[in-house]
Amino acid sequence: MFHIMTLYSDATPQSVWEALKAGNKRFCASQEKNPNRDDERRETLRSGQNPAVVALACSDSRVPVELIFDAGFGDIFVIRTAGEITDPAVLASLEYAIDGLGVPLIVVLGHENCGAVGAATKALDEGAIPEGWQRILVERVTPSVLAARREGCHEQSDYERIHVTETIGQIMHRLPHLPEQIEAGSVGLVGLRYLLADGSVETVATYGVS
């Protein structure tokens, strides 16, 4: 049976990335192995965790991170915010996963028909700015939409892809040791866009893996 856990002893950014791609392929084909989801697995995790990847993903309920990669308990350290936006708590969580848990791969996971990206686009086009705390989502995502338009892109799918790359740029800039870790080969970073229609993940950007 496939277990991401088997990679732990000698996990590399590339080997974990290959495992994630294989898991998503099984998910798309409805051939999941559903690893690490039994009582024995839960019992082994009582004493601690050793995930193989940290994923910053959108909070959208249609994007169940462990399921789309056919992973189980303890395999993925998941951080979720609407629009996969970053803030100090997100950055601290990423830093903990990398430096505290030794995770060799970071995934930034956007998705098709993202509501946060749609709200930012509507705010720019119609001046429709949400009230309350939701306003923060628009403020954080709007620069990505503007960056896309500067590149001549005008489709939501393009906004979503560029929002992933903009988020990666923020992470690289605000975790100053990360580029060095990628250069040294100890950490890889992947930007993905999940497609609701068929369950596949589209590769948007890669650093330290291929």
Side-chain angles (χ1 to χ4, degrees):
M1 177 177 287
F2 171 85
H3 292 279
I4 290 181
M5 187 175 180
T6 59
L7 299 174
Y8 286 177
S9 60
D10 58 351
T12 65
Q14 187 66 40
S15 67
V16 176
W17 174 221
E18 295 296 337
L20 290 181
K21 287 189 287 186
N24 181 246
K25 184 177 181 179
R26 291 194 303 275
F27 174 73
C28 292
S30 298
Q31 296 177 346
E32 298 96 324
K33 296 184 178 180
N34 300 315
N36 297 337
R37 300 183 190 178
D38 54 16
D39 293 344
E40 181 182 357
R41 175 62 166 171
R42 290 197 299 272
E43 180 64 27
T44 63
L45 291 170
R46 291 180 64 188
S47 59
Q49 62 174 319
N50 190 20
V53 55
V54 54
L56 170 58
C58 182
S59 299
D60 195 298
S61 62
R62 300 168 294 177
V63 190
V65 179
E66 287 87 354
L67 294 184
I68 68 178
F69 292 114
D70 193 23
F73 295 120
D75 290 329
I76 305 177
F77 189 92
V78 181
I79 306 163
R80 301 188 71 162
T81 61
E84 69 273 4
I85 64 172
T86 62
D87 63 16
V90 167
L91 294 167
S93 298
L94 286 167
E95 188 177 69
Y96 169 69
I98 300 164
D99 297 338
L101 299 176
V103 169
L105 184 67
I106 304 167
V107 169
V108 175
L109 180 63
H111 67 93
E112 182 181 22
N113 295 335
C114 179
V117 173
T121 303
K122 188 174 182 180
L124 285 172
D125 292 343
E126 304 176 13
I129 301 175
E131 297 180 356
W133 290 103
Q134 294 179 68
R135 184 186 184 99
I136 294 174
L137 303 178
V138 169
E139 293 173 348
R140 296 294 181 86
V141 178
T142 294
S144 297
V145 178
L146 292 172
R149 290 181 174 179
R150 284 195 298 271
E151 295 181 16
C153 300
H154 298 283
E155 300 294 331
Q156 169 138 340
S157 58
D158 294 320
Y159 300 159
E160 290 161 354
R161 294 183 188 98
I162 289 179
H163 181 52
V164 168
T165 61
E166 290 288 306
T167 301
I168 287 173
Q170 293 170 23
I171 293 170
M172 296 276 272
H173 177 70
R174 300 179 73 182
L175 296 181
H177 60 293
L178 181 57
E180 297 176 5
Q181 292 171 311
I182 293 174
E183 181 67 24
S186 60
V187 178
L189 195 159
V190 178
L192 304 174
R193 177 172 171 262
Y194 175 67
L195 303 182
L196 301 175
D198 63 8
S200 66
V201 288
E202 170 191 7
T203 302
V204 176
T206 60
Y207 298 85
V209 296
S210 59

